[in-house]
Amino acid sequence: MSDATDIHGGGGARVSGLADLRATGPQGMIVLRGDLADPGLRTAVGAVYAAAWPGAHGVSFAPPRGLCWMSPDEMLLLGPKDAVADDLAQLTAALGDQHALAVDVSDARCAFALSGPAAREVLAKLTPADLSPQAFGPGRIRRSRLAQVPAAFWMAEDGTTIHIVVFRSVAQYAWDLLVGATDPKAPVGLRQG
Amino acid sequence: MSTRLPTLGRLIDRSAPVKFRFNDRHMQGLQGDTLASALLANDQMLVGRSFKYHRPRGIVAYGAEEPNALVNLGHGARLEPNQRATTTELFAGLRATSQNHWPSLEFDIGAINARLSRFLPAGFYYKMFIHPRPLWKHVYEPFIRQSAGLGRAPRRADADRYEHFYHHTDVLVVGGGLAGLQAALTAAQSGARVLVIEQTAHWGGRAPVDVTADPDRSHVNGKPVDTFVEQTLAALRAMDNVTLRTRLMGAGVYDHGYVLGYERLGDHIPDADGPRHRLWRIRARRIITATGAIERPLSFAGNDLPGVMLASAMRDYAVNHAVAAGRRVVVATNNDDAYRTAIVLHDAGIEVVRIVDARPAGGLLTDDARARGIRVETDRAIVRVKGGRRVSKVQIGSQSGTGGALDEVACDAVAMSGGWSPVVHLWSHCGGKLLWDAAGAFFRPDPERPPLGADGAGFVLPAGAANGETDMASVLRDAHAAGCAAAQAVAGTAPDTAAPEAASTPEAPLDPVWLMPRNARADLRAKTWLDFQNDVKVSDVQLAAQEGYESVEHTKRYTTLGMATDQGKLSNINGLAILSDALGQPIPATGTTTFRPPYTPVSMGAIAGEARGPVFQPLRRTPMHGWHAENGAHWEPVGHWRRPYAYPRAGESVHGAVMREVTNTRANLGLLDASTLGKIVVKGPDAGRFLDMLYTNMMSTLKPGRCRYGLMCNENGFLMDDGVVARIDENTFLCHTTTGGADHIHAHMEEWLQTEWWDWKVHVANVTEQYAQIAVVGPKARQVLEKLGGMDVSADKLPFMAWADGTIGGFDCRVFRISFSGELSYEIAVPAGRGMAFWQALVDAGADFGAMPYGTEALHIMRAEKGFIMIGDETDGTVIPQDLGLDWAISRKKADYLGKRAQQRRHMVDPDRWKLVGLETIDGSVLPDGAYAVGSGRNANRQAVTEGRVTSTYHSPTLGRGIAMGLVRGGPDRMGEVLTFPGTDGKIYKARIVDPVFFDKNGDKQNV
């Protein structure tokens, strides 16, 4: 088990089993609440985030920034951690008087990545979300849970890396869960169709 | 005796012996055996004792339906009771012990109950133990508890690991027999995702066994059945959209196509690493139940003796494991299928001494048997089986008679078949209804009344024998049709393929035989078992009917019929047939009992999954959690958080630490990790209006830069949360909630915004975990912040109930000048990632000022000294703010707020409501928490009248005495009165009603 510092802080904690699990370290995250169908809101976001506007249950990236659809009135905006204050200021300025709420939640979350051919299978031990390739292809995001805590996760464009975000206070719990689920002695061996 | 045969044995490897122990006797089986087949191969027919009479019990079935062969499996940390020998795959070193006997399996004192069986009729416990009443608690219940239960509960923690697995599929096929495989193939040809699960380790079900008796007449697509199974499996394995799993049982079907599957990964290889069981939590759009059928016993006297076995089971043991249940076998039947057992045994060299057929005539299989020279007697019944711990002979008489013996034959095993019942459990779990099939004498799924899904369509499709089909051709046709229906439902198209052509031996109809002989005498009926495990006999069910039991559900509970671990898999239909007969009504009028999940018991470990040890529950940690642990925190669970209760030093008691922390904070400087407090941002043009509705006081008038304490009530007026609201700017507020309220207040806000005030322009975000928040408290609080430097925290610049953004010691922060202790106090929020560093900076800089961390108990004492209420102490869901003297925080100017109308109801304005006061013990001692004040006289229930209770109570180191708060009838009007609190310690406490603010009434200390 890695200690909390490895999971938060600079990240770097890593475990290899059925899948490769790693703590990906600081990640800039802004929660934007507003009407995602509003063109004005899209324009304001577009001024800071170059990524294409994602549809429902989608993520979209223009590295180093990205957009994650969270609900019809919530978007998670990803970017470099050290740029998050500037991003937020720019976004707030671009939003002007529009009715929206944007707040920095970078410190409230912890990010992990799970990769390898068995990544879906490992995560499926912990979440009721449908992780089949049909339902959870590249660029898809789900807000669900890992065992007893909420989590969001999306499939990267490579189709084999799943990025996971959990609340900071339960990062150790989520990490321990994932370490258990990657135990090389517990393969499910499910054929993915 | 039972023995291993020189021929047959399709599942065993004769070159691979496996050693195991049963009741500390060393035995040997073969690779491919189950524990049951290995026991039989060792002539161990006696495997347990029944529950009530401790009658000797032998193996009666072959699979999941086994009621008798239950063993304690394993030992130490791997002991598990009530494991069915029939579904336990044999492995080297297996250790099993039999259950429910003392001192030994062979000699059991409890068997004396059988001698008393006349005095232990149906409903015995209800009749016997009801009088006299007091004896139940002190005599009967302890005795019954002692003798209850079959196996022994393990004493040690489970050594194994378990996990869950979520799976989504278009079609789930439960059962890997002919029907399941065919249905899966058909469904998969549409391109749908198909998962096929089979509870045993083998595919093909029982068809390969059955055709052993009549291979020449049995084929599929012109080929042997085995070939068809292999080819179908190969075709399924080649399809990317198909997943096949063995040792995975469909345990339960629930709403919305949710199915629980129970995978036994390690039971047959117990020393292997990895999880022992895996609970599959499956979502399927359509579920095909190809769960087969279970053979019914026949009801004749002595049918519970070891050596009496289901005919199909006896055939299974012979064909699959080359085990014969006896050397001289009598077969009793009401149908053709049992002849297969006679033929298989005969061909394997076992003497079949008689086939007793209750019907006037049989079919082709009867001819087959006669052609082999087997003596078949029709219109005959077994009137009684004789023997002690094992069958020794059988008396045969007329099926239409009352039990007169016409013949007696010596034998050591009896194969019985009363027909087959489709396994309708999974169909029924979620509401599928049943039809009585008179021809087959069984209940089958009613296609008109399936369990309905969210789309209004049936989502369970029964197939094959589970759907009441009996011959191979119709089984395969039915399975193909189920596959097509599932494909149509999930893929919008059914494959353009035909069902396989199949042929099997035509069978003559069965005769429903519910009692053998039909008019058996009372003494025989009292020896005729329906439920082998629970010792329910034909006479018990008839007695229940006589006593007025008409409902099958009531009769089940009264007689315990079908309440054993097999849940009536063998006894159900026979029992309700007897009940129907006794009630003089047809069987469908009686109906069945309810089929409930799981199909067979599922291990507790599988249900718990990964949730044990460190991940039993999520433990929430603040950014400073590690520091607290390293500095000796004595933890208090607060929701899922762990908060330091106090930080006892070496040699210091927890109480001592709490006293020190309070005193030091009041005299010098205390540091509190307040990160767990909820923080919710509320923003929008309507934010002020929204908060005015949520809080009892006015929030919209709050000025940016200022803070206000607020109360939040639910619609019923009850106080549910409190906290400080800071106005960030014109449109933005930051609401602090209690630690436990963070999530539910956030949800509360979202609910009102989404359901009632959806047109208000307000957004909320829960930023609780974005910040580490530290309370810097005490007379020297300002000094330490000034030492760290960075922003002006003076009384002028940052007065009480103001907030400001800035930097302290180089940390970007937001400082709130608020106090829950009555001291000069700053609550400082920094980004969570900086929390630990900031805490350390405060600890280091504070050293010169006597800084000490303090925990939640010191926090509680200091707030109680100041008369501040605590949600959960002074409130319990029935308390309104007015009860707590918080009228000052309730706006009278507002037209409305949540709870306002409720607080105007008559009961809420009753002057007799208990109200908050302070309590001071006369002798300075500490009042017991939760103690009630007694008044004079008795109430209508002859209880002492109470007039108040203690809500918070502490020893105050500041005042050097016990202080408390409590709710007291007419409280504030009774200042100075002395109340009496009887303690549970036998002492009587006297306390005077005082003002709840014990310390610094003018607030001078916090306002400096």
Side-chain angles (χ1 to χ4, degrees):
Chain A
M1 296 282 155
S2 305
D3 70 9
T5 332
D6 292 326
I7 299 173
H8 305 284
R14 188 169 199 134
V15 170
S16 271
L18 294 174
D20 283 329
L21 171 67
R22 60 185 205 282
T24 48
Q27 167 73 58
M29 294 186 220
I30 293 168
V31 158
L32 174 67
R33 299 292 310 266
D35 180 1
L36 302 191
D38 180 355
L41 186 111
R42 290 192 184 198
T43 308
V45 173
V48 189
Y49 295 83
W53 195 254
H57 306 292
V59 297
S60 167
F61 288 93
R65 291 185 174 75
L67 303 174
C68 304
W69 184 95
M70 302 297 270
S71 77
D73 65 353
E74 183 174 340
M75 187 76 83
L76 182 65
L77 317 174
L78 304 180
K81 173 79 154 58
D82 51 15
V84 86
D86 287 344
D87 286 356
L88 184 57
Q90 282 186 46
L91 177 66
T92 305
L95 284 165
D97 287 341
Q98 292 185 57
H99 172 46
L101 165 60
V103 285
D104 178 6
V105 292
S106 313
D107 283 65
R109 318 281 177 82
C110 221
F112 306 135
L114 196 58
S115 55
R120 293 173 190 276
E121 204 164 281
V122 166
L123 201 60
K125 295 179 183 186
L126 303 171
T127 180
D130 187 351
L131 299 179
S132 64
Q134 295 91 327
F136 191 62
R140 306 296 286 169
I141 183 168
R142 294 297 304 262
R143 293 175 82 174
S144 179
R145 62 178 171 86
L146 297 183
Q148 300 173 58
V149 294
F153 34 84
W154 64 90
M155 178 60 81
E157 288 301 329
D158 66 5
T160 64
T161 303
I162 302 172
H163 292 274
I164 302 165
V165 174
V166 297
F167 283 111
R168 175 192 190 95
S169 67
V170 291
Q172 186 71 51
Y173 168 79
W175 177 262
D176 292 346
L177 284 177
L178 287 162
V179 169
T182 55
D183 180 351
K185 299 182 188 80
V188 179
L190 189 71
R191 175 160 42 185
Q192 294 289 356
Chain B
M1 64 182 292
S2 57
T3 181
R4 187 83 69 181
L5 294 161
T7 56
L8 298 175
R10 60 191 277 271
L11 300 181
I12 53 166
D13 179 354
R14 289 180 193 266
S15 67
V18 176
K19 289 186 163 48
F20 69 103
R21 280 156 73 181
F22 177 72
N23 284 349
D24 291 326
R25 277 178 55 205
H26 291 269
M27 296 185 179
Q28 187 169 301
L30 294 173
Q31 189 66 44
D33 265 329
T34 63
L35 175 57
S37 69
L39 287 169
L40 289 173
N42 285 273
D43 194 26
Q44 184 69 45
M45 179 59 84
L46 174 64
V47 289
R49 294 269 175 176
S50 65
F51 187 65
K52 190 167 160 190
Y53 301 140
H54 294 247
R55 296 261 300 180
R57 286 288 174 256
I59 296 161
V60 68
Y62 181 77
E65 68 275 26
E66 172 64 35
N68 288 345
L70 304 180
V71 296
N72 294 306
L73 195 63
H75 56 98
R78 288 207 159 95
L79 171 69
E80 201 168 22
N82 296 341
Q83 295 303 292
R84 289 174 306 280
T86 51
T87 56
T88 300
E89 294 177 53
L90 192 68
F91 54 86
L94 179 151
R95 282 169 67 175
T97 57
S98 50
Q99 303 182 157
N100 202 37
H101 51 69
W102 185 85
S104 75
L105 176 60
E106 287 72 23
F107 178 76
D108 177 17
I109 290 260
I112 193 83
N113 282 1
R115 303 273 173 214
L116 302 173
S117 65
R118 277 181 57 205
F119 309 106
L120 294 170
F124 168 74
Y125 291 95
Y126 298 114
K127 291 166 179 158
M128 177 64 200
F129 297 121
I130 195 85
H131 299 293
R133 287 280 179 178
L135 282 189
W136 169 253
K137 185 173 174 190
H138 301 293
V139 179
Y140 301 143
E141 189 184 353
F143 172 78
I144 289 170
R145 283 202 184 281
Q146 170 111 35
S147 55
L150 291 164
R152 212 171 298 139
R155 287 170 175 274
R156 289 177 47 192
D158 192 331
D160 282 303
R161 290 187 40 205
Y162 303 85
E163 66 182 23
H164 290 180
F165 185 69
Y166 296 88
H167 185 73
H168 299 253
T169 187
D170 294 323
V171 179
L172 168 68
V173 179
V174 184
L178 282 195
L181 295 176
Q182 179 59 46
L185 183 66
T186 306
Q189 281 161 348
S190 71
R193 292 179 293 169
V194 177
L195 169 66
V196 194
I197 61 175
E198 161 57 40
Q199 63 181 349
T200 72
H202 306 283
W203 296 106
R206 59 169 308 104
V209 174
D210 290 348
V211 299
T212 311
D214 48 356
D216 298 342
R217 295 197 208 94
S218 312
H219 55 81
V220 184
N221 289 337
K223 300 203 179 90
V225 170
D226 278 337
T227 310
F228 172 74
V229 170
E230 279 163 30
Q231 287 176 346
T232 310
L233 269 178
L236 288 167
R237 288 193 173 113
M239 299 171 95
D240 280 343
N241 55 330
V242 176
T243 303
L244 296 158
R245 306 288 293 202
T246 53
R247 299 189 176 100
L248 177 43
M249 175 186 79
V253 173
Y254 306 84
D255 282 329
H256 304 286
Y258 182 54
V259 177
L260 281 187
Y262 179 49
E263 187 176 28
R264 298 167 67 194
L265 297 157
D267 281 350
H268 59 298
I269 36 170
D271 293 328
D273 290 332
R276 175 170 172 242
H277 297 153
R278 181 180 288 137
L279 190 73
W280 285 59
R281 306 174 71 166
I282 304 165
R283 290 277 177 193
R285 295 169 65 194
R286 286 295 181 273
I287 300 156
I288 296 176
T289 53
T291 43
I294 291 175
E295 195 168 22
R296 294 190 295 260
L298 281 169
S299 300
F300 48 77
N303 60 350
D304 69 319
L305 282 174
V308 180
M309 198 181 274
L310 292 174
S312 60
M314 210 179 273
R315 183 157 85 236
D316 288 328
Y317 286 115
V319 176
N320 287 336
H321 306 285
V323 168
R327 293 207 182 254
R328 288 172 55 83
V329 177
V330 170
V331 176
T333 184
N334 65 345
N335 62 73
D336 274 12
D337 184 60
Y339 285 82
R340 293 194 168 93
T341 300
I343 291 165
V344 164
L345 293 175
H346 174 88
D347 292 355
I350 298 299
E351 188 181 355
V352 179
V353 291
R354 211 64 57 92
I355 298 178
V356 180
D357 194 332
R359 302 172 297 173
L364 285 176
L365 287 162
T366 311
D367 300 340
D368 290 350
R370 285 204 167 107
R372 282 167 167 83
I374 301 172
R375 186 164 158 191
V376 178
E377 295 195 356
T378 53
D379 271 327
R380 285 288 178 271
I382 290 182
V383 298
R384 174 169 233 159
V385 180
K386 294 193 149 185
R389 280 185 236 139
R390 167 125 216 191
V391 171
S392 61
K393 57 190 164 191
V394 161
Q395 290 179 340
I396 296 168
S398 164
Q399 167 60 12
S400 52
T402 58
L406 303 171
D407 192 5
E408 185 170 285
V409 291
C411 63
D412 60 357
V414 176
M416 60 180 168
S417 176
W420 291 79
S421 297
V423 174
V424 295
H425 299 64
L426 278 80
W427 164 267
S428 303
H429 281 169
C430 210
K433 299 291 186 269
L434 302 174
L435 274 180
W436 178 251
D437 182 309
F442 52 63
F443 284 102
R444 66 191 297 174
D446 180 352
E448 300 299 315
R449 295 181 296 163
L452 299 180
D455 57 359
F459 66 92
V460 179
L461 303 159
N467 197 24
E469 301 300 339
T470 47
D471 71 280
M472 205 149 57
S474 25
V475 161
L476 287 168
R477 269 199 305 275
D478 189 54
H480 178 72
C484 285
Q488 188 69 49
V490 302
T493 171
D496 184 21
T497 53
E501 290 294 328
S504 53
T505 306
E507 292 181 25
L510 65 63
D511 264 1
V513 171
W514 308 118
L515 189 56
M516 221 180 205
R518 187 173 301 131
N519 303 307
R521 302 184 307 262
D523 64 311
L524 295 177
R525 297 200 305 269
K527 292 287 176 202
T528 302
W529 261 256
L530 292 168
D531 186 316
F532 300 115
Q533 192 182 112
N534 274 2
D535 285 319
V536 182
K537 297 161 296 174
V538 167
S539 53
D540 295 317
V541 173
Q542 289 171 333
L543 177 63
Q546 239 173 56
E547 291 178 349
Y549 282 84
E550 292 174 355
S551 152
V552 64
E553 297 281 8
H554 292 159
T555 307
K556 168 180 171 173
R557 280 138 189 99
Y558 187 59
T559 62
T560 72
L561 175 81
M563 285 172 67
T565 53
D566 67 313
Q567 288 290 291
K569 287 188 179 66
L570 293 189
S571 61
N572 230 336
I573 304 295
N574 285 351
L576 62 92
I578 294 292
L579 180 65
S580 301
D581 179 63
L583 295 172
Q585 65 187 25
I587 289 172
T590 304
T592 66
T593 52
T594 310
F595 296 91
R596 292 193 178 86
Y599 177 60
T600 66
V602 167
S603 67
M604 300 300 276
I607 294 167
E610 81 296 326
R612 60 185 298 187
V615 292
F616 171 63
Q617 272 205 327
L619 193 153
R620 297 180 75 182
R621 295 166 166 91
T622 73
M624 292 81 92
H625 185 95
W627 190 95
H628 303 321
E630 282 166 22
N631 286 273
H634 179 81
W635 296 105
E636 177 178 35
V638 183
H640 282 168
W641 294 100
R642 287 288 178 283
R643 299 189 69 182
Y645 178 90
Y647 301 81
R649 294 173 169 177
E652 189 179 40
S653 69
V654 173
H655 176 75
V658 170
M659 296 298 112
R660 170 178 55 73
E661 289 169 14
V662 171
T663 304
N664 185 67
T665 303
R666 292 243 182 263
N668 297 305
L669 181 58
L671 301 174
L672 175 81
D673 180 356
S675 307
T676 59
L677 286 182
K679 308 162 198 78
I680 301 171
V681 177
V682 178
K683 186 185 174 195
D686 292 319
R689 178 188 179 198
F690 177 60
L691 294 186
D692 281 348
M693 284 302 293
L694 254 54
Y695 287 94
T696 59
N697 44 351
M698 195 77 97
M699 287 299 171
S700 55
T701 56
L702 186 62
K703 299 274 179 288
R706 303 290 298 179
C707 302
R708 185 169 290 164
Y709 174 74
L711 305 172
M712 219 182 266
C713 296
N714 61 20
E715 305 93 291
N716 294 318
F718 298 120
L719 183 55
M720 65 176 189
D721 208 73
D722 68 348
V724 169
V725 177
R727 188 162 199 166
I728 307 303
D729 58 37
E730 187 55 32
N731 278 347
T732 314
F733 295 81
L734 174 65
C735 302
H736 288 102
T737 75
T738 60
T739 295
D743 290 324
H744 97 259
I745 296 301
H746 179 221
H748 176 68
M749 290 178 170
E750 282 288 350
E751 184 181 352
W752 283 96
L753 286 174
Q754 291 181 27
T755 62
E756 296 292 332
W757 304 324
W758 49 270
D759 53 342
W760 293 17
K761 286 185 173 346
V762 181
H763 286 301
V764 302
N766 186 348
V767 294
T768 300
E769 299 206 17
Q770 170 68 11
Y771 300 100
Q773 196 144 319
I774 300 170
V776 182
V777 182
K780 297 174 183 169
R782 187 173 288 134
Q783 286 167 262
V784 72
L785 299 184
E786 284 171 350
K787 179 182 175 187
L788 283 166
M791 64 187 284
D792 189 344
V793 294
S794 66
D796 288 342
K797 192 71 186 169
L798 191 63
F800 186 53
M801 296 308 272
W803 66 268
D805 285 338
T807 62
I808 290 177
F811 292 86
D812 289 331
C813 62
R814 176 168 286 164
V815 184
F816 304 89
R817 178 82 197 279
I818 54 183
S819 178
F820 197 43
S821 57
E823 295 299 323
L824 171 63
S825 166
Y826 299 85
E827 289 199 13
I828 305 170
V830 298
R834 303 285 284 150
M836 185 52 237
F838 185 55
W839 175 268
Q840 190 63 56
L842 285 166
V843 168
D844 293 345
D848 293 346
F849 305 102
M852 290 180 194
Y854 67 94
T856 51
E857 187 63 0
L859 161 97
H860 279 219
I861 293 176
M862 287 190 282
R863 66 94 194 169
E865 289 172 343
K866 283 292 292 176
F868 295 147
I869 61 123
M870 179 69 79
I871 299 292
D873 283 335
E874 275 62 58
T875 70
D876 62 359
T878 69
V879 170
I880 58 175
Q882 291 86 341
D883 296 338
L884 302 177
L886 294 169
D887 306 70
W888 60 267
I890 300 168
S891 169
R892 278 167 193 77
K893 295 184 209 147
K894 292 197 293 189
D896 200 8
Y897 60 83
L898 292 181
K900 183 180 172 92
R901 279 178 54 188
Q903 287 164 0
Q904 292 165 350
R905 287 189 294 201
R906 194 170 47 193
H907 176 61
M908 298 301 202
V909 295
D910 183 350
D912 263 357
R913 282 186 74 84
W914 292 8
K915 297 204 166 186
L916 187 76
V917 293
L919 296 165
E920 251 179 26
T921 47
I922 303 301
D923 61 1
S925 63
V926 178
L927 276 172
D929 200 4
Y932 275 82
V934 294
S936 55
R938 303 256 147 191
N939 66 16
N941 298 321
R942 287 176 292 173
Q943 298 157 324
V945 165
T946 58
E947 56 176 345
R949 65 183 157 84
V950 175
T951 55
S952 293
T953 174
Y954 309 94
H955 178 77
S956 162
T958 313
L959 304 170
R961 60 183 342 287
I963 61 166
M965 286 193 270
L967 292 164
V968 173
R969 179 182 295 126
D973 302 329
R974 298 169 62 184
M975 286 296 160
E977 273 187 47
V978 174
L979 299 178
T980 302
F981 294 88
T984 50
D985 54 5
K987 293 185 198 151
I988 302 289
Y989 294 80
K990 298 270 190 188
R992 179 174 289 114
I993 299 176
V994 296
D995 188 293
V997 184
F998 294 91
F999 177 70
D1000 187 24
K1001 285 189 182 13
N1002 297 328
D1004 296 334
K1005 286 201 80 181
Q1006 69 190 15
N1007 209 4
V1008 293

